[in-house]
Every structure is written in structure tokens, then in C-alpha cells.
Amino acid sequence: MDGPANVTTTPRSVEEIFKDFRNRRTAIVRALTSDVEEFSNLCDPDKDNLCLYGLSNGTWEVTLPAEEVPTELPEPALGINFARDGMNRKDWLSLVAVHSDSWLLSVAFYYAARLNRNDRKRLFGMINDLPTVYEVVSGGPRQTKDRSSVDSGSKSKITKQSSDGQLENMSRGAGHEGYGEDDGEHSETICGYCNGIYSADEFWICCDVCERWYHGKCVKITPAKADSIKQYKCPSCSSSKKPRQ
């Protein structure tokens, strides 16, 4: 089982360690968002101490902790199932998310202990460019649009999140060739309307007031219509007397 420990190939370079981190993180985000019902059902409070593992192959599992001492890899938080029925669901998921962020970093830097100072710094920079699991699950601090990306001309620009969570400019101009270019495999931007996870083959638009992202289809905005919008307000902000902070 890869979950607690059994990694077939130990990542050694910065790129290999980051790939391992990203795969584990993507799996945990999936467990706490799109797979949340399955995850919640597996966290039966009547069972023994359970842990949430993000695996290096991009899958997740809820299972008992590793038995060997010391363990091959750092272990995630123990007993996440006990609080399931005693807390508000969002608070419980946020708590699991915080502990998962801590675990992901501990695994990454367990591998990174053999790197030199500059490589460790570069690795942390790559990791820090991604939203934390907590940010994705709780809707906490988000990366904001790059305001400098707005054209002074008649065609404004929006930004989309790349597969590694970094922001890149995408013009609202004719054709919209850019929004399907990356595969979105690891991007975890969530639609403010349907809570769906980002997919590179769909058109997205960002509200200029609350800076939440939406599927164009969810807010009835097409790429062509976006061309003529100087400042986009989502339905919630349009109906509010005061913009959401």
C-alpha cells in the first residue's frame, strides 16, 4: 500500500519531489471536494483511528495508519473520523484540510532533506505557488487577478489558473484560443456557482468585484459576450447593494 509508506521510486530531484507533492495534493483536494460524499462515508466514527492519505499516483484512501515504527514516511493526522459527526461539515473538512497541508509539506521536506539550500528554496517556491488544500476547501485567501493584465484598449483581459495553480493572462478577444490550452489536471479552482473544479476545456470568467471564478455556462456568459464586458459582476454581486468583500 502506497498510502502509509510503500513508494516504489523515491523522488530525489526538485522536480520529482514537486510532482510527488502535487499528485498527493490533487488527490486530497479531490477527496475533500468532488469525492466528499464518499470520503465522509468512509470516515465512520465507530471505526478505529483513520487517516486520509494522498497517494503519489494521484489517488486517495482513508485507512488505518502504518503499523511499523518508525514509519517510512511522515504520517497524516490520526483519528479524522471521530470529529465527523460532532462538527459542522465545512469546519470538519477545513480541519482535515489544514492537517493535510501540514502532512503534505512534511512528506515533501522529508525527501528534500537531502537537497541543498538553493534547491530546497526552489522547491518551496514551487509548492507555495499552489493554493493550499485549506484555501481550496474553505474558500479562504485566494490568489487574485493580476490587475496589471487589464488592457488600456477596448478589449479587457481576464486571467485563468494554469494546471499548477499559477495565474496566466487570457484575452477576452476573438477566438478565445487560450482557454483550452492546458489540461487542468492539477488545477483546483472552484466555480462559485456549482462548486465544480476547473477544467481547461471550459470557458471561465472571473467577477471583478468578489474575484470568484465561474463557469461561463453557469452564469450564462459566452466567450463572445465576454468580449463586450468591461467589468464583469457575478449574479451575487449584481444583486447585492454592496459588493462582497
Side-chain angles (χ1 to χ4, degrees):
M1 178 173 61
D2 174 278
N6 299 329
V7 181
T8 55
T9 302
T10 301
R12 299 187 182 279
S13 68
V14 171
E15 289 72 20
E16 289 172 344
I17 296 171
F18 177 67
K19 181 179 179 182
D20 181 87
F21 172 89
R22 189 176 58 185
N23 288 349
R24 294 176 187 275
R25 171 190 169 278
T26 298
I28 290 176
V29 167
R30 187 182 305 115
L32 300 181
T33 54
S34 59
D35 295 349
V36 68
E37 293 302 327
E38 179 184 357
F39 168 72
S40 180
N41 290 336
L42 289 172
C43 291
D44 186 347
D46 293 331
K47 293 183 178 180
D48 290 334
N49 291 299
L50 295 176
C51 301
L52 170 62
Y53 292 93
L55 311 187
S56 58
N57 64 5
T59 62
W60 61 270
E61 66 176 332
V62 173
T63 188
L64 295 171
E67 295 181 358
E68 67 269 22
V69 178
T71 57
E72 184 176 341
L73 289 177
E75 285 288 293
L78 185 67
I80 58 171
N81 51 314
F82 296 144
R84 187 195 69 179
D85 295 341
M87 297 178 66
N88 171 277
R89 172 179 273 201
K90 184 175 181 179
D91 293 339
W92 173 60
L93 293 175
S94 295
L95 179 64
V96 176
V98 168
H99 282 291
S100 296
D101 281 319
S102 177
W103 175 68
L104 288 168
L105 286 173
S106 68
V107 172
F109 280 84
Y110 171 83
Y111 292 133
R114 297 167 180 81
L115 299 177
N116 62 43
R117 178 181 178 182
N118 289 336
D119 282 345
R120 288 196 305 271
K121 183 177 180 180
R122 184 160 67 93
L123 174 64
F124 181 76
M126 294 167 70
I127 290 173
N128 203 39
D129 280 340
L130 295 173
T132 63
V133 177
Y134 173 78
E135 287 172 346
V136 174
V137 171
S138 71
R142 293 167 178 259
Q143 295 188 35
T144 59
K145 292 192 306 176
D146 181 1
R147 294 292 182 180
S148 65
S149 69
V150 179
D151 253 358
S152 58
S154 60
K155 290 182 180 178
S156 59
K157 290 185 177 181
I158 58 176
T159 53
K160 70 185 178 78
Q161 196 160 3
S162 72
S163 61
D164 287 342
Q166 297 173 332
L167 296 177
E168 58 185 37
N169 292 335
M170 180 177 68
S171 174
R172 279 182 179 156
H176 298 272
E177 297 172 354
Y179 76 86
E181 287 177 358
D182 58 7
D183 59 13
E185 180 183 356
H186 304 292
S187 179
E188 309 302 343
T189 300
I190 293 177
C191 175
Y193 183 84
C194 71
N195 290 325
I197 296 178
Y198 172 80
S199 174
D201 59 0
E202 297 176 298
F203 174 70
W204 285 64
I205 189 166
C206 182
C207 175
D208 287 304
V209 178
C210 66
E211 296 188 335
R212 290 182 181 273
W213 288 89
Y214 296 87
H215 289 108
K217 64 183 180 182
C218 287
V219 291
K220 296 180 172 59
I221 298 292
T222 64
K225 187 174 181 179
D227 282 337
S228 62
I229 301 175
K230 292 183 178 180
Q231 183 185 53
Y232 173 68
K233 290 185 179 181
C234 68
S236 295
C237 292
S238 297
S239 62
S240 301
K241 293 183 179 179
K242 294 183 179 180
R244 290 183 293 177
Q245 300 297 316

